[in-house]
Amino acid sequence: MKSEHSRVYGFHRTLGKREARVAQRDGSTGSHRAAPEHTHPDDVPVQLALSALADPVRLTLVRELAGSAEWSRTCGSFDVPVGKAALSHHFAVLRDAGLVEQRDEGPKRVNRLRREEFEDRFPGLLGLVLRDDRRA
């Protein structure tokens, strides 16, 4: 059944700021997207972890997350040369490899590097990847 608004104006109305605040207080996010699924590093084969870290864009994301406080970086805050769809794909690969955990905070998706969990599964690997190996 269509709402009164969509019947009169021919389109569905999105939540306004006040309605979004009420939805947040009620515990709902008002988001149309599903919560991201996460793979625990214990369930990740080494080939998948290495493959995820082999891409330069994903390596940049991991390095920038490593230098940031947990849950402080939104997906759009990274300076990488890809569009939104490609960035979403890169984050999905990192989640599948057990490297990144994401959660929604209102309209934003924030990220954290799963440093301890990944280190337990692959001791020393993340340290090697994060090391600045540029020669002077």
Side-chain angles (χ1 to χ4, degrees):
M1 182 174 166
K2 290 187 174 185
S3 70
E4 180 67 18
H5 189 85
S6 64
R7 187 180 62 73
V8 172
Y9 298 103
F11 61 90
H12 181 74
R13 186 172 69 80
T14 59
L15 292 178
K17 288 182 182 180
R18 181 179 172 283
E19 293 164 313
R21 283 193 305 268
V22 170
Q24 282 183 320
R25 276 196 310 262
D26 292 343
S28 62
T29 63
S31 177
H32 292 94
R33 62 183 172 193
E37 293 185 22
H38 299 93
T39 304
H40 194 278
D42 288 345
D43 300 326
V44 175
V46 69
Q47 295 88 347
L48 182 61
L50 292 172
S51 175
L53 292 166
D55 183 89
V57 171
R58 291 193 288 271
L59 187 56
T60 298
L61 296 173
V62 167
R63 285 180 171 165
E64 287 189 24
L65 278 172
S68 304
E70 288 191 351
W71 306 116
S72 66
R73 299 292 301 269
T74 62
C75 292
S77 70
F78 294 89
D79 186 25
V80 289
V82 296
K84 283 183 177 182
L87 186 59
S88 292
H89 166 73
H90 286 299
F91 273 113
V93 171
L94 292 172
R95 279 194 321 267
D96 290 345
L99 280 156
V100 170
E101 185 176 6
Q102 297 180 308
R103 70 179 182 208
D104 291 334
E105 290 184 356
K108 306 278 186 183
R109 183 161 282 178
V110 292
N111 305 278
R112 84 167 183 99
L113 183 62
R114 299 178 77 176
R115 188 186 304 259
E116 293 81 20
E117 301 101 308
F118 198 80
E119 181 64 23
D120 288 345
R121 173 70 171 108
F122 303 108
L125 179 58
L126 201 51
L128 288 172
V129 169
L130 297 177
R131 187 172 66 189
D132 186 6
D133 60 353
R134 290 178 282 175
R135 308 278 187 239

